[in-house]
Amino acid sequence: MSPTPNRAEDHASARETTEGTVYTVTGGDWDEVVQSAAKADDERIVVNMGPQHPSTHGVLRLILEIDGETVTEARCGIGYLHTGIEKNLEFRNWTQGTTFVTRMDYLTPFFNETAYCLGVEKLLGITDQVPDRATVIRVLLMELNRLSSHLVCIATGGMELGATTIMIYGFRDRELILDIFELITGLRMNHAFVRPGGLAQDLPPGAVDQLREFVKTMKKNLPEYDKLATGNPIFKARMQDVGYLDLTGCMALGATGPVLRSAGLPHDLRKSDPYCGYEDYEFDVPTTDTCDSYGRFLIRLEEMRQSLRIVEQCLERLEPGPVMVADKKIAWPAQLAMGPDGLGNSLDHIRNIMGTSMEALIHHFKLVTEGFRVPAGQAYAAVESPKGELGVHVVSDGGTRPYRVHFRDPSFTNLQAMAAMCEGGQVADVIVAVASIDPVMGGVDR
Protein backbone atom coordinates (compact mmCIF):
# COMPACT_ATOMS: atom_id res chain seq x y z
CA MET A 1 0.00 0.00 0.00
CA SER A 2 1.75 3.17 -1.11
CA PRO A 3 1.18 6.28 1.01
CA THR A 4 -0.54 9.27 -0.53
CA PRO A 5 1.59 12.33 -1.36
CA ASN A 6 2.20 14.80 1.48
CA ARG A 7 0.59 12.42 3.93
CA ALA A 8 3.24 9.79 4.70
CA GLU A 9 4.76 11.72 7.59
CA ASP A 10 1.39 11.68 9.40
CA HIS A 11 1.59 7.96 10.19
CA ALA A 12 4.91 6.64 8.85
CA SER A 13 8.63 7.28 9.12
CA ALA A 14 10.74 7.37 5.95
CA ARG A 15 14.31 6.46 5.07
CA GLU A 16 16.18 6.65 1.79
CA THR A 17 17.59 3.47 0.24
CA THR A 18 19.20 2.59 -3.06
CA GLU A 19 15.77 1.53 -4.31
CA GLY A 20 14.07 4.76 -3.28
CA THR A 21 12.17 5.92 -0.21
CA VAL A 22 11.05 3.20 2.21
CA TYR A 23 8.20 4.00 4.60
CA THR A 24 7.77 2.24 7.94
CA VAL A 25 4.08 2.31 8.81
CA THR A 26 3.49 2.15 12.55
CA GLY A 27 -0.28 2.15 12.54
CA GLY A 28 -2.22 4.59 14.68
CA ASP A 29 -5.69 5.56 15.70
CA TRP A 30 -8.06 6.53 12.91
CA ASP A 31 -9.04 9.69 14.78
CA GLU A 32 -5.49 10.93 14.20
CA VAL A 33 -5.68 10.02 10.51
CA VAL A 34 -8.97 11.91 10.21
CA GLN A 35 -7.51 14.96 11.96
CA SER A 36 -4.45 14.99 9.69
CA ALA A 37 -6.71 14.62 6.65
CA ALA A 38 -8.78 17.58 7.85
CA LYS A 39 -5.62 19.75 8.09
CA ALA A 40 -4.58 18.86 4.54
CA ASP A 41 -5.19 21.38 1.77
CA ASP A 42 -6.90 18.99 -0.64
CA GLU A 43 -10.47 17.67 -0.78
CA ARG A 44 -9.91 14.21 0.70
CA ILE A 45 -12.70 12.83 2.88
CA VAL A 46 -12.62 9.92 5.34
CA VAL A 47 -15.90 7.97 5.39
CA ASN A 48 -17.16 4.84 7.15
CA MET A 49 -18.81 2.12 5.09
CA GLY A 50 -20.40 0.00 7.77
CA PRO A 51 -20.47 -1.59 10.29
CA GLN A 52 -24.22 -1.35 9.63
CA HIS A 53 -24.31 -1.32 5.86
CA PRO A 54 -26.25 -3.64 3.54
CA SER A 55 -23.20 -4.46 1.38
CA THR A 56 -20.47 -5.10 3.96
CA HIS A 57 -21.35 -8.78 4.60
CA GLY A 58 -22.24 -8.47 8.25
CA VAL A 59 -20.79 -5.99 10.69
CA LEU A 60 -17.60 -5.18 8.74
CA ARG A 61 -16.41 -1.59 9.03
CA LEU A 62 -14.55 -0.21 6.04
CA ILE A 63 -12.76 3.08 6.62
CA LEU A 64 -12.22 4.74 3.25
CA GLU A 65 -10.32 7.89 2.42
CA ILE A 66 -11.78 9.15 -0.84
CA ASP A 67 -10.83 11.84 -3.30
CA GLY A 68 -14.04 12.43 -5.21
CA GLU A 69 -15.14 8.91 -6.21
CA THR A 70 -11.64 7.44 -6.01
CA VAL A 71 -10.51 5.46 -2.95
CA THR A 72 -7.04 6.70 -1.95
CA GLU A 73 -6.74 4.63 1.24
CA ALA A 74 -8.77 1.76 2.70
CA ARG A 75 -8.73 -0.12 5.99
CA CYS A 76 -10.88 -2.77 7.67
CA GLY A 77 -12.28 -2.29 11.14
CA ILE A 78 -13.23 -5.60 12.76
CA GLY A 79 -14.42 -6.74 16.17
CA TYR A 80 -18.08 -5.71 16.05
CA LEU A 81 -19.32 -9.31 16.23
CA HIS A 82 -16.88 -10.63 18.82
CA THR A 83 -18.38 -13.69 20.52
CA GLY A 84 -15.46 -14.95 22.59
CA ILE A 85 -16.01 -18.47 21.22
CA GLU A 86 -12.32 -19.44 21.41
CA LYS A 87 -12.21 -18.39 25.07
CA ASN A 88 -15.50 -20.12 25.86
CA LEU A 89 -14.07 -23.41 24.59
CA GLU A 90 -11.70 -23.43 27.56
CA PHE A 91 -14.69 -23.79 29.90
CA ARG A 92 -16.43 -26.72 28.17
CA ASN A 93 -15.41 -30.31 27.60
CA TRP A 94 -14.01 -31.46 24.27
CA THR A 95 -17.32 -32.76 22.90
CA GLN A 96 -19.24 -29.63 23.90
CA GLY A 97 -16.68 -27.65 21.91
CA THR A 98 -18.39 -28.60 18.63
CA THR A 99 -21.48 -26.66 19.74
CA PHE A 100 -19.35 -23.52 19.90
CA VAL A 101 -17.13 -23.87 16.83
CA THR A 102 -20.08 -24.58 14.52
CA ARG A 103 -21.22 -20.99 15.15
CA MET A 104 -17.99 -19.31 14.02
CA ASP A 105 -18.35 -19.01 10.25
CA TYR A 106 -22.08 -19.68 10.37
CA LEU A 107 -22.25 -20.32 6.60
CA THR A 108 -19.74 -23.19 6.84
CA PRO A 109 -20.63 -25.00 10.10
CA PHE A 110 -19.56 -28.49 8.96
CA PHE A 111 -16.07 -27.26 8.04
CA ASN A 112 -15.65 -25.67 11.48
CA GLU A 113 -16.79 -28.85 13.21
CA THR A 114 -14.68 -31.20 11.07
CA ALA A 115 -11.48 -29.15 11.40
CA TYR A 116 -11.92 -29.03 15.18
CA CYS A 117 -12.66 -32.75 15.46
CA LEU A 118 -9.71 -33.68 13.22
CA GLY A 119 -7.46 -31.74 15.61
CA VAL A 120 -8.92 -33.44 18.70
CA GLU A 121 -8.63 -36.86 17.03
CA LYS A 122 -4.95 -36.18 16.27
CA LEU A 123 -4.32 -35.47 19.96
CA LEU A 124 -6.23 -38.62 20.96
CA GLY A 125 -4.34 -40.68 18.37
CA ILE A 126 -7.56 -42.12 16.94
CA THR A 127 -7.47 -40.62 13.42
CA ASP A 128 -7.27 -44.09 11.84
CA GLN A 129 -9.99 -45.51 14.09
CA VAL A 130 -12.77 -43.20 12.86
CA PRO A 131 -15.19 -45.47 10.95
CA ASP A 132 -15.23 -45.22 7.14
CA ARG A 133 -18.94 -44.48 7.08
CA ALA A 134 -18.46 -41.50 9.41
CA THR A 135 -15.64 -40.16 7.22
CA VAL A 136 -17.69 -40.48 4.02
CA ILE A 137 -20.65 -38.71 5.63
CA ARG A 138 -18.31 -35.92 6.81
CA VAL A 139 -17.11 -35.42 3.22
CA LEU A 140 -20.70 -35.54 1.96
CA LEU A 141 -21.84 -32.86 4.43
CA MET A 142 -18.81 -30.64 3.76
CA GLU A 143 -19.36 -30.68 0.01
CA LEU A 144 -23.06 -29.89 0.43
CA ASN A 145 -21.97 -27.10 2.75
CA ARG A 146 -19.53 -25.83 0.08
CA LEU A 147 -22.46 -25.63 -2.33
CA SER A 148 -24.66 -23.74 0.14
CA SER A 149 -21.85 -21.29 1.03
CA HIS A 150 -21.03 -20.51 -2.60
CA LEU A 151 -24.73 -20.06 -3.35
CA VAL A 152 -24.97 -17.42 -0.62
CA CYS A 153 -21.82 -15.71 -1.95
CA ILE A 154 -23.14 -15.58 -5.51
CA ALA A 155 -26.65 -14.59 -4.38
CA THR A 156 -25.63 -11.75 -2.06
CA GLY A 157 -22.83 -10.60 -4.38
CA GLY A 158 -25.30 -10.43 -7.24
CA MET A 159 -27.82 -8.54 -5.13
CA GLU A 160 -25.20 -5.90 -4.29
CA LEU A 161 -24.65 -5.38 -8.03
CA GLY A 162 -28.40 -5.00 -8.56
CA ALA A 163 -28.82 -8.50 -10.04
CA THR A 164 -31.82 -9.49 -7.90
CA THR A 165 -32.74 -12.51 -10.04
CA ILE A 166 -29.49 -14.31 -9.24
CA MET A 167 -30.15 -13.61 -5.56
CA ILE A 168 -33.52 -15.35 -5.80
CA TYR A 169 -31.97 -18.31 -7.66
CA GLY A 170 -29.17 -18.65 -5.10
CA PHE A 171 -31.40 -18.71 -2.06
CA ARG A 172 -33.90 -20.99 -3.82
CA ASP A 173 -31.21 -23.65 -4.33
CA ARG A 174 -29.70 -23.14 -0.88
CA GLU A 175 -33.07 -23.96 0.68
CA LEU A 176 -32.88 -27.44 -0.88
CA ILE A 177 -29.54 -28.03 0.89
CA LEU A 178 -30.78 -26.66 4.22
CA ASP A 179 -33.76 -29.04 3.99
CA ILE A 180 -31.28 -31.93 3.68
CA PHE A 181 -29.25 -30.63 6.64
CA GLU A 182 -32.44 -30.46 8.68
CA LEU A 183 -33.36 -34.02 7.73
CA ILE A 184 -29.91 -35.37 8.67
CA THR A 185 -29.02 -33.29 11.74
CA GLY A 186 -32.32 -31.82 12.91
CA LEU A 187 -31.09 -28.26 12.29
CA ARG A 188 -30.61 -25.94 9.32
CA MET A 189 -27.53 -24.27 10.85
CA ASN A 190 -25.22 -24.68 13.89
CA HIS A 191 -25.49 -28.46 13.80
CA ALA A 192 -22.80 -29.76 16.24
CA PHE A 193 -23.25 -33.01 14.28
CA VAL A 194 -19.58 -33.89 13.72
CA ARG A 195 -18.13 -35.09 17.05
CA PRO A 196 -14.65 -36.20 18.13
CA GLY A 197 -14.51 -39.84 17.02
CA GLY A 198 -17.29 -39.70 14.44
CA LEU A 199 -20.81 -38.29 14.17
CA ALA A 200 -23.69 -37.60 16.53
CA GLN A 201 -25.85 -40.19 14.72
CA ASP A 202 -26.26 -42.04 11.44
CA LEU A 203 -28.15 -40.87 8.35
CA PRO A 204 -31.92 -41.12 8.90
CA PRO A 205 -34.21 -43.18 6.63
CA GLY A 206 -34.87 -41.48 3.31
CA ALA A 207 -31.76 -39.29 3.39
CA VAL A 208 -29.95 -41.06 0.53
CA ASP A 209 -33.02 -40.89 -1.74
CA GLN A 210 -33.44 -37.18 -1.02
CA LEU A 211 -29.74 -36.59 -1.73
CA ARG A 212 -29.97 -38.35 -5.10
CA GLU A 213 -33.00 -36.24 -5.98
CA PHE A 214 -31.14 -33.08 -4.96
CA VAL A 215 -28.15 -33.90 -7.20
CA LYS A 216 -30.52 -34.28 -10.17
CA THR A 217 -32.19 -30.94 -9.39
CA MET A 218 -28.90 -29.06 -8.98
CA LYS A 219 -27.49 -30.45 -12.22
CA LYS A 220 -30.54 -28.96 -13.91
CA ASN A 221 -30.35 -25.63 -12.04
CA LEU A 222 -26.62 -24.82 -12.25
CA PRO A 223 -26.64 -23.99 -16.01
CA GLU A 224 -29.17 -21.24 -15.19
CA TYR A 225 -26.41 -19.26 -13.44
CA ASP A 226 -24.32 -19.41 -16.62
CA LYS A 227 -27.22 -18.19 -18.72
CA LEU A 228 -28.04 -15.43 -16.27
CA ALA A 229 -24.61 -14.08 -15.33
CA THR A 230 -21.54 -15.68 -16.90
CA GLY A 231 -21.95 -14.17 -20.35
CA ASN A 232 -24.02 -11.17 -19.27
CA PRO A 233 -22.19 -8.04 -20.54
CA ILE A 234 -23.47 -5.85 -17.67
CA PHE A 235 -22.44 -8.44 -15.06
CA LYS A 236 -19.01 -8.86 -16.65
CA ALA A 237 -18.41 -5.12 -16.99
CA ARG A 238 -19.17 -4.69 -13.29
CA MET A 239 -16.77 -7.45 -12.18
CA GLN A 240 -13.90 -7.71 -14.68
CA ASP A 241 -10.66 -6.01 -13.57
CA VAL A 242 -12.31 -5.11 -10.24
CA GLY A 243 -10.71 -6.25 -6.97
CA TYR A 244 -7.47 -7.09 -8.78
CA LEU A 245 -4.93 -9.09 -6.77
CA ASP A 246 -2.18 -11.03 -8.54
CA LEU A 247 -0.33 -14.11 -7.33
CA THR A 248 2.48 -12.10 -5.72
CA GLY A 249 -0.07 -10.17 -3.66
CA CYS A 250 -1.90 -13.35 -2.66
CA MET A 251 1.31 -15.02 -1.47
CA ALA A 252 2.42 -11.92 0.45
CA LEU A 253 -0.94 -11.58 2.22
CA GLY A 254 -1.60 -15.28 2.84
CA ALA A 255 -4.77 -15.30 0.76
CA THR A 256 -6.25 -18.74 0.03
CA GLY A 257 -9.35 -20.22 -1.56
CA PRO A 258 -10.99 -18.71 -4.67
CA VAL A 259 -8.98 -15.48 -4.18
CA LEU A 260 -5.71 -17.41 -4.60
CA ARG A 261 -7.01 -19.71 -7.34
CA SER A 262 -8.24 -16.70 -9.36
CA ALA A 263 -4.52 -15.77 -9.64
CA GLY A 264 -3.81 -19.09 -11.36
CA LEU A 265 -2.40 -21.22 -8.52
CA PRO A 266 -4.34 -24.52 -8.14
CA HIS A 267 -3.73 -24.76 -4.39
CA ASP A 268 -6.41 -26.82 -2.62
CA LEU A 269 -5.78 -28.67 0.65
CA ARG A 270 -8.01 -31.52 -0.54
CA LYS A 271 -5.27 -32.23 -3.13
CA SER A 272 -2.08 -30.88 -1.52
CA ASP A 273 -2.65 -32.16 2.03
CA PRO A 274 -5.61 -34.59 1.88
CA TYR A 275 -7.79 -35.37 4.88
CA CYS A 276 -10.93 -37.49 5.32
CA GLY A 277 -9.84 -39.65 2.38
CA TYR A 278 -10.11 -36.88 -0.23
CA GLU A 279 -7.20 -38.45 -2.11
CA ASP A 280 -9.60 -41.23 -3.19
CA TYR A 281 -12.15 -38.88 -4.78
CA GLU A 282 -12.06 -37.69 -8.37
CA PHE A 283 -12.51 -33.93 -8.79
CA ASP A 284 -10.75 -30.96 -10.40
CA VAL A 285 -9.42 -27.75 -8.84
CA PRO A 286 -10.67 -24.89 -11.05
CA THR A 287 -8.45 -21.83 -11.60
CA THR A 288 -8.45 -18.67 -13.69
CA ASP A 289 -5.69 -16.19 -14.44
CA THR A 290 -7.87 -13.07 -14.34
CA CYS A 291 -6.94 -12.15 -10.72
CA ASP A 292 -10.25 -10.31 -10.44
CA SER A 293 -13.79 -10.58 -9.03
CA TYR A 294 -15.18 -12.12 -12.21
CA GLY A 295 -12.62 -14.93 -12.06
CA ARG A 296 -13.61 -15.67 -8.44
CA PHE A 297 -17.25 -15.91 -9.52
CA LEU A 298 -16.36 -18.40 -12.28
CA ILE A 299 -14.28 -20.47 -9.84
CA ARG A 300 -17.12 -20.72 -7.32
CA LEU A 301 -19.53 -21.76 -10.07
CA GLU A 302 -17.16 -24.54 -11.22
CA GLU A 303 -16.45 -25.61 -7.63
CA MET A 304 -20.18 -26.22 -7.16
CA ARG A 305 -20.12 -28.61 -10.12
CA GLN A 306 -17.10 -30.40 -8.65
CA SER A 307 -18.83 -30.64 -5.25
CA LEU A 308 -21.78 -32.36 -6.93
CA ARG A 309 -19.31 -34.89 -8.41
CA ILE A 310 -17.93 -35.60 -4.93
CA VAL A 311 -21.44 -35.91 -3.43
CA GLU A 312 -22.30 -38.54 -6.06
CA GLN A 313 -19.11 -40.48 -5.22
CA CYS A 314 -19.96 -40.30 -1.49
CA LEU A 315 -23.38 -41.82 -2.14
CA GLU A 316 -21.71 -44.70 -4.00
CA ARG A 317 -19.23 -45.28 -1.14
CA LEU A 318 -21.75 -45.40 1.71
CA GLU A 319 -21.40 -48.83 3.26
CA PRO A 320 -23.29 -50.01 6.35
CA GLY A 321 -21.34 -49.63 9.57
CA PRO A 322 -20.88 -47.62 12.75
CA VAL A 323 -20.45 -43.83 12.75
CA MET A 324 -18.49 -43.53 16.01
CA VAL A 325 -15.22 -45.02 17.27
CA ALA A 326 -15.50 -48.26 19.24
CA ASP A 327 -13.76 -46.93 22.38
CA LYS A 328 -16.63 -46.35 24.82
CA LYS A 329 -14.49 -44.03 26.93
CA ILE A 330 -14.47 -41.58 24.02
CA ALA A 331 -17.53 -42.50 21.95
CA TRP A 332 -20.58 -40.36 22.59
CA PRO A 333 -23.64 -42.62 22.05
CA ALA A 334 -24.44 -42.45 18.34
CA GLN A 335 -26.59 -45.50 17.60
CA LEU A 336 -29.44 -44.89 20.03
CA ALA A 337 -33.08 -44.15 19.32
CA MET A 338 -34.53 -40.76 20.17
CA GLY A 339 -37.54 -40.36 22.45
CA PRO A 340 -40.60 -38.26 21.62
CA ASP A 341 -39.04 -35.36 23.54
CA GLY A 342 -36.07 -35.37 21.15
CA LEU A 343 -33.62 -35.75 24.04
CA GLY A 344 -32.80 -39.43 23.63
CA ASN A 345 -34.78 -40.53 26.70
CA SER A 346 -36.37 -43.44 24.86
CA LEU A 347 -36.68 -46.90 26.37
CA ASP A 348 -34.11 -48.17 23.86
CA HIS A 349 -31.68 -45.56 25.10
CA ILE A 350 -32.21 -46.45 28.77
CA ARG A 351 -31.98 -50.20 28.14
CA ASN A 352 -28.75 -49.77 26.17
CA ILE A 353 -27.05 -47.68 28.86
CA MET A 354 -28.38 -49.35 32.01
CA GLY A 355 -28.83 -52.89 30.78
CA THR A 356 -25.24 -53.56 29.70
CA SER A 357 -23.19 -53.43 32.89
CA MET A 358 -22.41 -51.23 35.87
CA GLU A 359 -19.08 -50.30 34.25
CA ALA A 360 -20.88 -49.18 31.07
CA LEU A 361 -23.21 -47.00 33.14
CA ILE A 362 -20.28 -45.42 35.01
CA HIS A 363 -18.40 -44.73 31.77
CA HIS A 364 -21.47 -43.15 30.22
CA PHE A 365 -22.08 -41.01 33.31
CA LYS A 366 -18.47 -39.77 33.35
CA LEU A 367 -18.47 -39.21 29.58
CA VAL A 368 -21.54 -36.99 29.67
CA THR A 369 -20.88 -35.08 32.90
CA GLU A 370 -17.09 -34.71 32.84
CA GLY A 371 -15.96 -35.66 29.34
CA PHE A 372 -13.00 -37.71 28.17
CA ARG A 373 -9.38 -36.79 28.88
CA VAL A 374 -7.11 -35.82 25.98
CA PRO A 375 -3.35 -36.44 26.29
CA ALA A 376 -1.26 -33.31 26.77
CA GLY A 377 0.11 -31.89 23.55
CA GLN A 378 -0.81 -29.75 20.58
CA ALA A 379 -1.99 -30.41 17.03
CA TYR A 380 -2.87 -28.49 13.90
CA ALA A 381 -5.50 -29.63 11.44
CA ALA A 382 -6.64 -27.80 8.32
CA VAL A 383 -9.48 -28.22 5.82
CA GLU A 384 -10.26 -26.47 2.53
CA SER A 385 -13.33 -24.43 3.40
CA PRO A 386 -15.29 -22.56 0.67
CA LYS A 387 -13.33 -19.42 1.55
CA GLY A 388 -9.83 -20.94 1.84
CA GLU A 389 -7.64 -22.70 4.39
CA LEU A 390 -9.49 -23.17 7.68
CA GLY A 391 -6.97 -24.33 10.26
CA VAL A 392 -7.35 -25.15 13.94
CA HIS A 393 -4.59 -25.28 16.53
CA VAL A 394 -5.70 -27.31 19.56
CA VAL A 395 -3.69 -27.50 22.78
CA SER A 396 -4.38 -29.93 25.63
CA ASP A 397 -2.93 -29.96 29.15
CA GLY A 398 -4.17 -33.51 29.70
CA GLY A 399 -7.58 -32.52 31.05
CA THR A 400 -11.19 -32.87 29.98
CA ARG A 401 -11.28 -29.34 28.55
CA PRO A 402 -9.18 -27.64 25.86
CA TYR A 403 -6.30 -25.56 27.20
CA ARG A 404 -6.45 -23.41 24.04
CA VAL A 405 -8.16 -23.61 20.67
CA HIS A 406 -7.28 -21.11 17.97
CA PHE A 407 -8.75 -20.97 14.46
CA ARG A 408 -6.98 -19.68 11.37
CA ASP A 409 -10.09 -18.42 9.63
CA PRO A 410 -9.76 -17.66 5.90
CA SER A 411 -12.15 -14.68 6.07
CA PHE A 412 -9.85 -12.99 8.59
CA THR A 413 -6.72 -13.58 6.50
CA ASN A 414 -8.31 -12.77 3.13
CA LEU A 415 -9.67 -9.45 4.40
CA GLN A 416 -6.08 -8.22 4.58
CA ALA A 417 -6.25 -8.03 0.80
CA MET A 418 -9.05 -5.47 0.93
CA ALA A 419 -6.71 -2.44 0.78
CA ALA A 420 -4.65 -3.87 -2.08
CA MET A 421 -7.81 -4.64 -4.05
CA CYS A 422 -9.61 -1.33 -3.48
CA GLU A 423 -7.08 1.51 -3.35
CA GLY A 424 -7.02 3.46 -6.58
CA GLY A 425 -10.45 2.18 -7.60
CA GLN A 426 -13.95 3.60 -7.33
CA VAL A 427 -16.10 3.57 -4.18
CA ALA A 428 -18.68 1.42 -5.98
CA ASP A 429 -15.98 -1.14 -6.78
CA VAL A 430 -15.19 -1.59 -3.08
CA ILE A 431 -18.51 -3.41 -2.72
CA VAL A 432 -17.65 -5.77 -5.60
CA ALA A 433 -14.17 -6.48 -4.23
CA VAL A 434 -15.41 -7.28 -0.71
CA ALA A 435 -18.17 -9.50 -2.14
CA SER A 436 -15.55 -11.43 -4.13
CA ILE A 437 -13.58 -12.12 -0.91
CA ASP A 438 -16.82 -13.46 0.64
CA PRO A 439 -15.94 -12.72 4.28
CA VAL A 440 -18.17 -13.87 7.13
CA MET A 441 -17.65 -11.86 10.29
CA GLY A 442 -18.57 -14.76 12.58
CA GLY A 443 -15.30 -16.36 11.51
CA VAL A 444 -13.31 -13.11 11.71
CA ASP A 445 -14.46 -12.03 15.20
CA ARG A 446 -14.38 -15.40 16.91
Side-chain angles (χ1 to χ4, degrees):
M1 184 171 74
S2 59
T4 52
N6 306 320
R7 285 285 315 289
E9 66 276 5
D10 294 333
H11 50 273
S13 60
R15 60 189 173 88
E16 298 297 327
T17 71
T18 54
E19 296 181 359
T21 307
V22 173
Y23 294 96
T24 305
V25 181
T26 55
D29 189 80
W30 263 96
D31 292 338
E32 296 170 17
V33 177
V34 173
Q35 286 168 14
S36 63
K39 291 175 189 171
D41 297 332
D42 48 23
E43 291 294 317
R44 290 194 178 87
I45 303 168
V46 176
V47 296
N48 282 298
M49 183 183 286
Q52 283 78 35
H53 191 279
S55 72
T56 52
H57 291 254
V59 283
L60 171 64
R61 180 188 178 205
L62 301 174
I63 306 114
L64 308 175
E65 184 191 273
I66 56 175
D67 184 1
E69 282 289 311
T70 303
V71 177
T72 54
E73 194 164 339
R75 283 197 196 180
C76 289
I78 64 173
Y80 293 90
L81 193 65
H82 186 52
T83 54
I85 286 174
E86 286 185 357
K87 189 65 181 174
N88 273 309
L89 288 169
E90 297 169 22
F91 299 91
R92 297 292 186 275
N93 68 42
W94 292 92
T95 302
Q96 288 171 326
T98 56
T99 311
F100 281 93
V101 300
T102 190
R103 288 167 163 76
M104 287 183 171
D105 183 339
Y106 38 80
L107 292 182
T108 63
F110 287 115
F111 292 92
N112 302 334
E113 296 171 24
T114 303
Y116 170 77
C117 290
L118 288 175
V120 177
E121 287 158 9
K122 267 190 185 179
L123 285 177
L124 286 166
I126 60 168
T127 303
D128 296 333
Q129 298 172 34
V130 177
D132 289 342
R133 184 174 175 86
T135 301
V136 171
I137 294 173
R138 285 180 179 183
V139 171
L140 173 73
L141 292 172
M142 281 191 286
E143 292 308 319
L144 288 170
N145 205 169
R146 193 183 310 279
L147 276 157
S148 68
S149 178
H150 283 345
L151 285 167
V152 171
C153 174
I154 290 170
T156 54
M159 181 175 61
E160 286 153 15
L161 300 180
T164 51
T165 308
I166 203 166
M167 184 268 290
I168 293 166
Y169 279 22
F171 280 102
R172 172 200 68 185
D173 292 338
R174 179 174 177 249
E175 282 298 308
L176 303 174
I177 300 172
L178 295 187
D179 287 344
I180 291 170
F181 288 166
E182 189 173 7
L183 172 69
I184 293 172
T185 73
L187 294 163
R188 288 158 58 87
M189 297 170 74
N190 306 333
H191 313 277
F193 186 72
V194 182
R195 306 278 177 86
L199 305 171
Q201 61 186 37
D202 204 348
L203 294 177
V208 173
D209 293 336
Q210 188 161 331
L211 282 161
R212 292 191 193 282
E213 198 58 42
F214 163 76
V215 171
K216 282 184 197 169
T217 305
M218 275 307 292
K219 280 186 171 179
K220 185 166 92 321
N221 289 355
L222 275 180
E224 294 178 358
Y225 294 86
D226 278 319
K227 291 177 185 173
L228 193 64
T230 304
N232 186 324
I234 301 172
F235 190 83
K236 288 170 75 173
R238 196 71 181 81
M239 298 187 83
Q240 283 180 328
D241 299 324
V242 173
Y244 185 90
L245 187 70
D246 62 14
L247 183 57
T248 306
C250 290
M251 300 300 281
L253 294 165
T256 53
V259 177
L260 177 61
R261 291 191 284 274
S262 71
L265 185 68
H267 175 71
D268 189 312
L269 288 174
R270 294 174 294 173
K271 293 283 192 185
S272 61
D273 190 10
Y275 53 92
C276 292
Y278 266 110
E279 63 272 21
D280 299 325
Y281 292 86
E282 289 183 16
F283 64 98
D284 301 320
V285 178
T287 61
T288 65
D289 57 2
T290 58
C291 306
D292 60 8
S293 299
Y294 183 65
R296 289 163 210 143
F297 163 76
L298 294 179
I299 283 171
R300 289 187 174 98
L301 209 52
E302 182 57 32
E303 281 187 5
M304 289 200 285
R305 296 189 185 98
Q306 299 302 323
S307 288
L308 281 178
R309 279 181 70 188
I310 298 173
V311 168
E312 286 183 303
Q313 291 172 61
C314 288
L315 293 174
E316 298 304 319
R317 288 167 188 240
L318 277 175
E319 299 287 343
V323 293
M324 183 56 83
V325 292
D327 187 349
K328 295 299 181 190
K329 292 186 179 180
I330 294 172
W332 196 273
Q335 303 287 351
L336 303 170
M338 289 280 212
D341 57 0
L343 298 176
N345 295 327
S346 67
L347 287 174
D348 287 344
H349 186 119
I350 294 163
R351 280 194 205 99
N352 191 294
I353 299 300
M354 300 192 69
T356 310
S357 68
M358 179 55 73
E359 287 77 11
L361 181 60
I362 292 169
H363 281 315
H364 178 73
F365 181 78
K366 283 178 69 66
L367 185 66
V368 174
T369 56
E370 184 183 273
F372 50 78
R373 294 190 177 276
V374 173
Q378 58 184 332
Y380 179 79
V383 300
E384 184 70 32
S385 95
K387 297 162 179 63
E389 180 178 340
L390 173 66
V392 57
H393 180 214
V394 288
V395 185
S396 171
D397 59 2
T400 58
R401 302 173 183 174
Y403 177 77
R404 180 78 170 95
V405 178
H406 174 64
F407 273 75
R408 182 239 186 252
D409 191 274
S411 292
F412 177 79
T413 313
N414 291 350
L415 270 177
Q416 294 182 112
M418 206 276 299
M421 287 182 181
C422 299
E423 288 176 3
Q426 303 289 296
V427 174
D429 291 342
V430 173
I431 292 164
V432 181
V434 173
S436 75
I437 295 173
D438 187 28
V440 169
M441 302 313 291
V444 176
D445 297 339
R446 62 210 172 279

